C-alpha cells in the first residue's frame, strides 16, 4: 500500500468547538474551490481551511454565546487573527494561498489584501496563479477588468509600474458594503518585503517564506495594517527554519507556549505544523509522511523521498548535507543551512562517556569568551586510556570577571595553574590581564599555533580520535551547550588556512573554541606564536550577574 501523508499536523492549536459548516467558514472555502474553481483539494488542505477559519462564536448571530453588542461589521468574525503554517516544501501551499485569496476577494468581502515573500517573485507568481484560476471561471471573470487583445475582450491583471495586483472592475453581488468612502475597488496587492505594506489597510495579509525573515521589519510593517480591519487575518507559510529565522521562531514559540499550557481559549494565533518528530532519521518513511501531507496524493512518491534522502548524504558531494533535507522535506529545525566543519551526525558518533580520577589525570584547560563578552566558557581536555582524547565543557556563565577565581578555586585539585587563551584579536583578550593578576599562567593561542591546531582538531574529530560525554540521559532530546556550539561553529579563510569565525557562526561557538584550545594545550609545542589576527582593541566591560555553573564534570 502506498505511503500517504498525514492529513492532520503533528502540532496544532485545538478548536474550541466541534467544527461544522456553522462553526467554521473553511467548509465554504472548500465548496468554493471545488464548485467554482474546479479544484479537488487534498485532505490536509481541507483540514487547514476548516481549522484556521474557525469562527469566533460570540460574533455569530443565533449561537448560544453570541454577544448582542457585536458590531454588524464583525459578524461571523474569525477566532484567529494570525495563522502560522509550517509544512515541507512542494506540498501544495500555493493552491492554499490562491484559493484563500480568491475566496476572500470574491465571496467574503475583503476590500484590500496584500501578499509578500522574502523573494518578491514568489509572491508575484502566486498572484499570477490565482489570477489564472479566476479568469477561467466565467462568473469570477465578469468582475475583472477587461481589455482588447487580438480582437477579443479578455480579463487582465494590473502590473503597471511594477505594482502587481488583482483589482476588480465591479463589486461582486451582495458585497457592496466593502467599498470605502473613496469607493476603491476590492484589490489584492503584492507589496515589497522591505516595509512596503505600511500604507495599506488589509483585511488579509499573506506572508510566504517566513523562515527567510532574519528581522521583524516586515511583520512590524504589516501587522498594524490589519489591526483596525474587522474580520482581519494574517496567514504565514514556511518550512522549518534555523536560529536566524527570528520571526518564524517567535510566532511558533508563542503558539507552542499556549498549546503546552493546555488552555488556548483566549489564543488568537493558530499554529499548524506538519513536521517529522524530532530524532527521526532522514530515511524514516514515517517522518516523510508526517512532514509531507501531499505524499501519495500527487506526483511525489515514497521512492522520490528515498532518492532525495540519499542525495543529502552523498559522500561524493562535498556540499551534501542532511540539514537541507531536514528543513525542506522533514520540516525539522536546524542550527543553520550553511554546512559547518562539524555535523550533527559526526558529533553523535563521538559520544563516549569516560570516568576519570582528576587527581591522577593531567587536565588541560582552554577558555574562550563569546561575542561582545556576553559569556565566558571553560573547557577541559585529557588523554584517555585508549589513547584518544576527551573534551568537556565544565563551566559557562555570563560575563568574564568570574573566570580567574573559579579556576583558582580548583587549583591543586585538577587545575594546574595554566590556561590556553587567545589574547589578541578576540573577545577573550579581556581576560589576559585578569589571569596575570590572579597568578594564572597563559599559553597564547595565536598565529600558527591557532591555525594549525584548528585544522588538526577538526581532523581528529572527523577521524574519531576525540570524544565527549554526550547528552544528559534525563533529557536525551536536548542538546548540550558544547554540542550546540560545535554544530554552530563556522570558519573563514585567512591565507591558505581557516580559523573560527565567532561573528558568522550560527550560534555561540565560544564553548567549542574553548574545547579546541584545551585540546591544543595537550598537543602544543614551544614555538613562538605570531598573530593571525590584527590586534583589535576590546574595552573591558563591567561584569554581569553570573549564572549557575553549567559544567558537566570536575566541579
Amino acid at each position: 500500500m502506498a505511503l500517504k501523508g498525514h492529513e492532520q499536523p503533528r502540532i496544532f492549536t485545538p478548536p474550541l468547538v466541534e467544527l461544522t459548516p456553522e462553526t467554521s467558514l473553511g467548509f465554504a472555502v472548500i465548496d468554493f474551490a471545488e464548485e467554482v474553481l474546479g479544484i479537488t483539494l487534498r485532505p490536509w488542505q481541507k483540514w487547514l481551511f476548516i481549522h484556521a477559519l474557525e469562527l469566533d462564536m460570540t460574533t455569530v448571530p443565533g449561537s448560544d454565546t453570541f454577544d448582542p453588542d457585536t458590531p454588524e461589521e464583525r459578524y461571523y468574525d474569525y477566532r484567529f487573527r494570525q495563522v502560522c503554517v509550517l509544512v515541507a516544501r512542494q506540498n501544495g501551499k500555493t493552491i492554499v494561498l490562491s484559493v484563500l485569496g480568491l475566496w476572500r476577494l470574491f465571496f467574503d468581502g475583503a476590500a484590500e489584501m496584500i501578499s509578500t515573500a522574502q523573494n518578491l517573485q514568489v509572491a508575484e507568481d502566486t498572484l499570477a496563479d490565482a489570477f489564472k484560476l479566476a479568469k477561467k471561471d466565467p462568473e469570477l471573470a465578469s468582475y475583472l477588468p477587461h481589455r482588447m487583445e487580438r480582437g477579443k475582450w479578455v480579463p487582465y491583471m494590473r502590473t503597471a509600474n511594477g505594482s502587481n495586483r488583482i483589482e476588480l472592475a465591479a463589486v461582486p453581488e451582495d458585497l457592496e458594503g466593502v467599498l470605502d468612502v473613496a469607493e476603491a475597488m476590492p484589490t489584492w496587492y503584492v507589496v515589497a518585503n522591505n516595509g512596503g505594506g505600511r500604507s495599506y489597510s488589509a483585511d488579509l495579509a499573506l506572508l510566504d517564506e517566513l523562515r527567510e525573515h532574519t528581522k521583524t521589519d516586515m511583520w512590524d510593517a504589516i501587522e498594524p495594517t490589519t489591526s483596525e480591519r474587522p474580520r482581519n487575518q494574517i496567514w504565514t507559510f514556511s518550512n522549518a527554519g534555523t536560529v536566524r529565522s527570528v520571526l518564524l521562531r517567535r510566532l511558533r514559540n508563542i503558539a507552542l507556549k499556549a498549546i503546552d499550557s493546555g488552555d488556548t481559549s483566549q489564543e488568537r494565533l493558530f499554529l499548524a505544523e506538519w513536521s517529522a518528530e524530532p530524532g527521526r532519521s532522514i530515511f524514516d518513511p514515517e517522518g516523510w509522511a508526517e512532514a509531507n501531507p501531499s505524499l501519495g496524493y500527487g506526483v511525489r512518491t515514497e521512492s522520490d523521498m528515498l532518492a532525495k534522502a540519499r542525495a543529502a548524504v552523498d559522500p561524493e558531494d562535498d556540499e551534501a548535507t542532511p540539514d537541507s533535507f531536514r528543513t525542506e522535506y522533514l520540516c525539522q529545525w536546524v542550527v543553520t543551512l550553511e554546512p559547518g566543519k562539524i555535523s550533527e551526525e559526526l558529533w553523535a558518533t563521538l559520544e563516549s562517556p569516560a570516568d576519570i580520577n582528576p587527581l591522577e589525570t593531567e587536565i588541560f584547560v582552554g577558555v574562550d569568551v563569546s561575542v561582545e563578552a556576553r559569556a565566558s566558557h571553560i573547557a577541559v581536555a585529557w588523554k584517555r586510556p585508549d589513547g584518544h582524547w576527551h573534551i568537556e565543557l565544565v563551566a559557562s556563565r555570563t560575563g568574564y570577571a568570574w573566570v580567574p577565581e573559579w579556576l583558582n578555586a580548583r587549583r591543586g585539585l585538577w587545575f594546574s595553574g595554566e590556561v590556553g587563551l587567545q589574547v589578541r584579536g578576540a573577545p577573550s583578550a579581556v581576560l589576559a590581564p585578569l589571569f596575570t593578576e590572579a597568578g594564572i599562567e597563559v599559553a597564547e593561542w595565536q598565529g600558527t599555533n591557532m591555525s594549525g591546531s584548528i585544522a588538526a582538531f577538526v581532523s581528529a574529530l572527523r577521524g574519531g580520535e576525540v570524544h565527549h560525554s554526550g547528552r544528559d540521559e534525563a533529557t536525551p532530546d536536548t542538546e548540550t551547550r558544547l554540542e550546540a556550539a560545535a554544530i554552530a561553529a563556522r570558519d573563514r579563510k585567512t591565507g591558505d588556512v581557516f580559523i573560527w569565525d565567532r561573528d558568522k557562526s550560527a550560534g555561540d561557538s565560544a564553548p567549542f573554541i574553548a574545547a579546541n584550545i584545551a585540546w591544543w594545550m595537550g598537543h602544543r609545542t614551544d614555538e613562538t606564536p605570531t598573530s593571525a589576527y590584527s590586534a583589535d582593541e576590546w574595552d573591558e566591560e563591567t561584569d554581569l550577574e553570573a549564572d549557575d555553573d553549567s559544567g558537566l564534570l570536575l566541579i
Side-chain angles (χ1 to χ4, degrees):
M1 183 176 180
L3 182 67
K4 295 284 189 181
H6 291 191
E7 172 186 356
Q8 180 174 293
R10 190 174 64 86
I11 303 171
F12 65 93
T13 308
L16 296 179
V17 295
E18 181 183 358
L19 298 179
T20 68
E22 287 70 40
T23 61
S24 170
L25 291 178
F27 293 92
V29 177
I30 295 170
D31 290 343
F32 168 74
E34 296 181 344
E35 297 175 9
V36 178
L37 300 180
I39 296 174
T40 300
L41 296 173
R42 292 169 183 170
W44 81 271
Q45 294 166 332
K46 294 180 181 180
W47 187 99
L48 176 60
F49 283 134
I50 291 171
H51 284 73
L53 297 177
E54 178 183 348
L55 290 170
D56 175 357
M57 298 308 292
T58 67
T59 70
V60 178
S63 76
D64 294 339
T65 57
F66 175 65
D67 181 354
D69 294 329
T70 302
E72 188 173 346
E73 61 269 20
R74 279 203 61 218
Y75 281 3
Y76 301 97
D77 197 1
Y78 302 105
R79 173 190 170 193
F80 299 110
R81 286 287 175 246
Q82 299 152 6
V83 175
C84 183
V85 182
L86 284 91
V87 65
R89 292 186 59 197
Q90 303 300 315
N91 274 279
K93 171 196 63 182
T94 300
I95 288 295
V96 172
L97 288 163
S98 298
V99 169
L100 176 65
L102 292 176
W103 179 76
R104 293 278 330 242
L105 190 65
F106 286 95
F107 281 82
D108 194 47
E112 195 167 80
M113 307 189 316
I114 54 178
S115 288
T116 192
Q118 189 68 9
N119 180 348
L120 198 59
Q121 186 64 49
V122 172
E124 291 176 345
D125 289 346
T126 299
L127 190 72
D129 289 343
F131 176 75
K132 291 174 184 176
L133 289 173
K135 74 175 184 178
K136 285 197 309 181
D137 179 77
E139 181 182 359
L140 300 186
S142 68
Y143 296 110
L144 296 171
H146 285 61
R147 66 185 176 192
M148 183 68 70
E149 291 184 3
R150 299 179 181 179
K152 293 183 179 180
W153 285 99
V154 296
Y156 73 97
M157 185 174 71
R158 302 185 189 277
T159 58
N161 301 320
S163 176
N164 291 21
R165 62 192 186 275
I166 299 176
E167 182 177 341
L168 303 189
V171 180
E173 187 176 355
D174 299 326
L175 296 181
E176 290 78 5
V178 304
L179 297 180
D180 60 18
V181 292
E183 295 194 350
M185 286 291 136
T187 307
W188 181 359
Y189 299 88
V190 168
V191 299
N193 64 357
N194 57 1
R198 291 184 184 276
S199 61
Y200 296 89
S201 181
D203 298 282
L204 175 67
L206 303 171
L207 279 66
D208 201 357
E209 297 183 321
L210 206 64
R211 61 180 297 279
E212 301 295 338
H213 289 257
T214 58
K215 299 179 180 179
T216 62
D217 295 9
M218 188 45 143
W219 181 266
D220 294 339
I222 286 182
E223 196 275 335
T225 70
T226 65
S227 60
E228 296 302 319
R229 299 293 300 175
R231 307 180 68 249
N232 70 80
Q233 280 194 317
I234 301 177
W235 282 55
T236 65
F237 292 83
S238 187
N239 55 303
T242 70
V243 292
R244 298 183 184 276
S245 305
V246 294
L247 179 54
L248 179 59
R249 287 176 62 202
R250 186 176 79 180
L251 293 179
R252 181 176 183 267
N253 287 340
I254 292 172
L256 287 177
K257 184 176 180 180
I259 294 171
D260 291 343
S261 74
D263 181 10
T264 59
S265 59
Q266 302 301 315
E267 188 57 32
R268 303 290 268 172
L269 169 59
F270 175 76
L271 174 67
E273 179 178 312
W274 282 268
S275 63
E277 186 174 331
R280 288 201 186 279
S281 162
I282 65 173
F283 295 101
D284 189 340
E286 185 60 25
W288 303 343
E290 289 171 332
N292 296 269
S294 287
L295 183 64
Y297 293 96
V299 297
R300 183 177 297 178
T301 65
E302 194 171 351
S303 60
D304 293 329
M305 297 300 297
L306 179 58
K308 292 178 185 296
R310 286 173 174 168
V313 292
D314 181 1
E316 301 299 322
D317 184 355
D318 292 337
E319 299 299 320
T321 168
D323 285 350
S324 291
F325 185 90
R326 289 189 182 281
T327 59
E328 295 184 0
Y329 299 110
L330 295 186
C331 207
Q332 290 179 330
W333 288 72
V334 298
V335 175
T336 177
L337 291 179
E338 300 171 4
K341 297 293 184 184
I342 309 301
S343 67
E344 292 180 59
E345 288 72 21
L346 171 60
W347 187 260
T349 66
L350 300 175
E351 179 178 339
S352 178
D355 293 326
I356 63 166
N357 182 343
L359 298 179
E360 299 177 357
T361 306
E362 187 173 11
I363 306 295
F364 299 95
V365 179
V367 176
D368 199 52
V369 178
S370 305
V371 174
E372 297 180 358
R374 295 191 188 102
S376 298
H377 311 277
I378 302 173
V380 295
W382 69 87
K383 195 169 186 178
R384 297 157 51 116
D386 60 9
H388 289 184
W389 283 78
H390 199 99
I391 55 174
E392 292 293 347
L393 183 67
V394 294
S396 290
R397 294 186 186 179
T398 56
Y400 56 85
W402 60 273
V403 176
E405 182 180 354
W406 192 96
L407 286 169
N408 274 334
R410 288 141 180 91
R411 191 189 287 258
L413 296 176
W414 54 264
F415 176 51
S416 68
E418 184 181 28
V419 300
L421 184 77
Q422 185 177 350
V423 300
R424 293 183 297 279
S428 54
V430 299
L431 276 172
L434 300 185
F435 281 146
T436 300
E437 292 174 8
I440 295 174
E441 185 178 349
V442 174
E444 297 187 1
W445 191 60
Q446 302 286 158
T448 55
N449 284 337
M450 179 200 303
S451 58
S453 73
I454 291 174
F457 183 54
V458 170
S459 178
L461 286 164
R462 290 176 173 174
E465 300 169 1
V466 180
H467 302 280
H468 58 84
S469 294
R471 299 181 178 184
D472 188 337
E473 292 183 358
T475 54
D477 293 331
T478 303
E479 62 186 9
T480 66
R481 184 179 276 113
L482 182 58
E483 176 185 354
I487 297 169
R490 295 296 178 269
D491 64 284
R492 63 182 173 89
K493 295 280 287 185
T494 173
D496 294 328
V497 298
F498 69 89
I499 57 178
W500 299 124
D501 192 325
R502 295 172 182 81
D503 288 324
K504 292 186 178 179
S505 291
D508 186 2
S509 59
F512 182 64
I513 296 174
N516 190 161
I517 298 173
W519 178 88
W520 165 75
M521 289 287 288
H523 295 77
R524 74 188 191 280
T525 66
D526 294 325
E527 296 176 2
T528 302
T530 57
S531 177
Y533 292 118
S534 60
D536 298 331
E537 295 293 333
W538 284 84
D539 294 330
E540 184 170 342
E541 299 180 8
T542 303
D543 186 32
L544 301 176
E545 183 73 20
D547 294 331
D548 291 336
D549 292 338
S550 60
L552 302 178
L553 80 171
L554 305 179
I555 296 179

